[in-house]
Amino acid sequence: MKMLSVVLPAYNEEKMIVRAAQEIGKVLDDARISYELVFVDDGSKDTTWRKIEETAKENPHITGVHFSRNFGKEAAMFAGLANAKGDCCVVMDCDLQHPPETLVEMYRLWEDGYEVVEGVKRTRGKESALHRASAGLFYRIISKAVGIDMSRASDFKLMDRRAVEAILEMPERNAFFRALSSWIGFRSTSVEFDVQERTEGESKWSTRSLIKYAVTNIVAFSSAPMQVVTFAGIAVFLLGIVLGIQTLIKYFMGHAVEGFTTVILLILLIGSIIMISLGIIGYYISKIYEEVKGRPRYLISRKIDSRIDAQNG
Ligand code: UDP
Ligand code: MG
């Protein structure tokens, strides 16, 4: 019998572990799908890990991975996939904002031979206008870089074992899971789902972490910022030529000094463009440095194995 691994990254989700295990378990039991639930505790500061341990004692379907500290959701998803035993894996949020019923739909499509089933947001759930607008801008840039429409993409997706192996083989640390699953190709399709409202706890993303997420992933998938810098350089160069000619003409006509304002403005303009450019280049270099150091993406401090496997599930 085939087995489905559900990867659930969890950061300070003590209130959700038991409920997620119950609700997802019920849906999959009813659909007669053999499964394991891979909880990845991303270095939670609350009792999340204890909840996972307790649940695992009674529930043979639970696999638990505990990080030595908070490494972020991207790392947690990769750890979950690396420790999943299933013939196919789904990544979903353990706050149940991704509806468990959709799992069955995804699994059936996988049985029909699809190797990647993307969960696509039909609606985005409740968000502030600013959040929606900045997410819109981020996805426009990313969609362009990746070459596909990512505006409704999510981390909720099912992948065949082969696709999972392909993702795990990516050597880069700053991998952007949401885009990688389409970058790898494979036979894919999508299902739509409505983002549910969070019932317990709160979103783990601060404005700061969202900005960091956006910048990291734009840099990881695109060199557009560098092109912008180059074009800004060319624009300023052209402006310089025009002003240079003007200054020369004035010099030969005998009334030179003047133009103090122009000088100040040019210094400010060019200086700031140079500083911004250096910042952008420096950011790419720091990312290269991070990759070159080759540190592990995450560190696991504890682990529980599920007592289910593909044969007797
Ligand atoms: N998460 C994680 N590590 C983090 C932040 C979040 O593993 O550093 C998990 C979190 O527990 C949840 C999922 O990622 O299962 C989505 O996070 P959240 O619900 O806070 O994001 P939102 O739904 O608001 O986008
Ligand atoms: Mg959520």
Side-chain angles (χ1 to χ4, degrees):
M1 196 168 164
K2 300 283 187 195
M3 184 170 79
L4 164 72
S5 294
V6 184
V7 171
L8 299 143
Y11 179 56
N12 295 344
E13 302 279 10
E14 55 186 5
K15 297 196 188 109
M16 290 313 300
I17 303 296
V18 176
R19 259 189 65 195
Q22 266 170 6
E23 293 193 18
I24 298 168
K26 181 164 187 314
V27 168
L28 294 176
D29 280 334
D30 288 351
R32 305 197 172 286
I33 297 171
S34 161
Y35 66 95
E36 66 165 344
L37 304 178
V38 186
F39 282 101
V40 183
D41 177 358
D42 185 8
S44 299
K45 293 181 177 62
D46 62 4
T47 59
T48 300
W49 180 246
R50 200 168 341 131
K51 287 273 159 25
I52 295 174
E53 279 180 325
E54 282 167 15
T55 317
K57 271 195 200 113
E58 297 143 26
N59 186 341
H61 297 276
I62 308 280
T63 287
V65 175
H66 182 52
F67 280 0
S68 61
R69 65 167 169 86
N70 181 241
F71 281 93
K73 187 185 177 191
E74 293 281 310
M77 291 189 287
F78 278 91
L81 292 175
N83 287 281
K85 299 191 286 277
D87 302 284
C88 62
C89 302
V90 172
V91 174
M92 73 190 276
D93 287 359
C94 83
D95 55 11
L96 294 176
Q97 284 190 290
H98 296 156
E101 296 73 37
T102 311
L103 283 175
V104 180
E105 208 180 319
M106 288 174 152
Y107 188 83
R108 299 291 174 233
L109 285 165
W110 174 72
E111 284 182 323
D112 290 345
Y114 289 101
E115 288 155 317
V116 177
V117 184
E118 308 267 356
V120 173
K121 295 175 187 168
R122 188 183 299 130
T123 51
R124 289 188 57 99
K126 238 168 61 190
E127 279 173 337
S128 73
L130 180 68
H131 185 129
R132 197 179 292 262
S134 44
L137 176 68
F138 168 63
Y139 283 112
R140 258 219 303 286
I141 300 176
I142 279 287
S143 301
K144 215 147 174 236
V146 184
I148 40 160
D149 178 24
M150 299 267 311
S151 57
R152 297 189 303 147
S154 72
D155 287 329
F156 188 25
K157 48 189 92 206
L158 177 145
M159 284 170 298
D160 180 74
R161 179 71 8 225
R162 264 167 290 182
V164 171
E165 297 299 334
I167 293 254
L168 291 176
E169 265 174 38
M170 307 270 162
E172 70 252 46
R173 296 165 22 107
N174 283 311
F176 179 36
F177 182 70
R178 213 167 275 199
L180 273 187
S181 67
S182 49
W183 184 89
I184 56 170
F186 289 94
R187 228 184 127 209
S188 65
T189 183
S190 59
V191 294
E192 291 196 325
F193 71 93
D194 291 305
V195 176
Q196 308 294 305
E197 236 169 84
R198 203 185 230 286
T199 46
E200 300 280 356
E202 55 200 21
S203 174
K204 303 299 175 305
W205 296 87
S206 60
T207 310
R208 196 167 150 241
S209 61
L210 277 174
I211 293 174
K212 203 172 147 209
Y213 177 80
V215 174
T216 305
N217 292 319
I218 288 171
V219 167
F221 254 93
S222 144
S223 49
M226 304 275 241
Q227 284 159 12
V228 172
V229 166
T230 313
F231 282 117
I234 293 172
V236 174
F237 178 68
L238 294 178
L239 185 70
I241 290 183
V242 173
L243 284 169
I245 292 174
Q246 190 209 24
T247 312
L248 279 179
I249 292 174
K250 277 191 176 165
Y251 176 77
F252 285 121
M253 285 165 69
H255 35 258
V257 196
E258 256 187 66
F260 182 67
T261 323
T262 324
V263 172
I264 295 292
L265 285 180
L266 276 182
I267 290 178
L268 287 178
L269 181 69
I270 296 177
S272 57
I273 288 184
I274 290 177
M275 276 195 264
I276 294 170
S277 319
L278 282 179
I280 294 177
I281 294 168
Y283 194 76
Y284 274 92
I285 293 179
S286 73
K287 287 292 159 198
I288 295 172
Y289 181 51
E290 256 173 46
E291 298 287 349
V292 168
K293 276 193 286 190
R295 293 211 180 140
R297 210 175 287 176
Y298 51 82
L299 291 171
I300 293 175
S301 60
R302 253 161 277 168
K303 203 185 157 196
I304 305 167
D305 266 311
S306 70
R307 284 158 268 143
I308 298 284
D309 57 50
Q311 275 71 47
N312 63 25

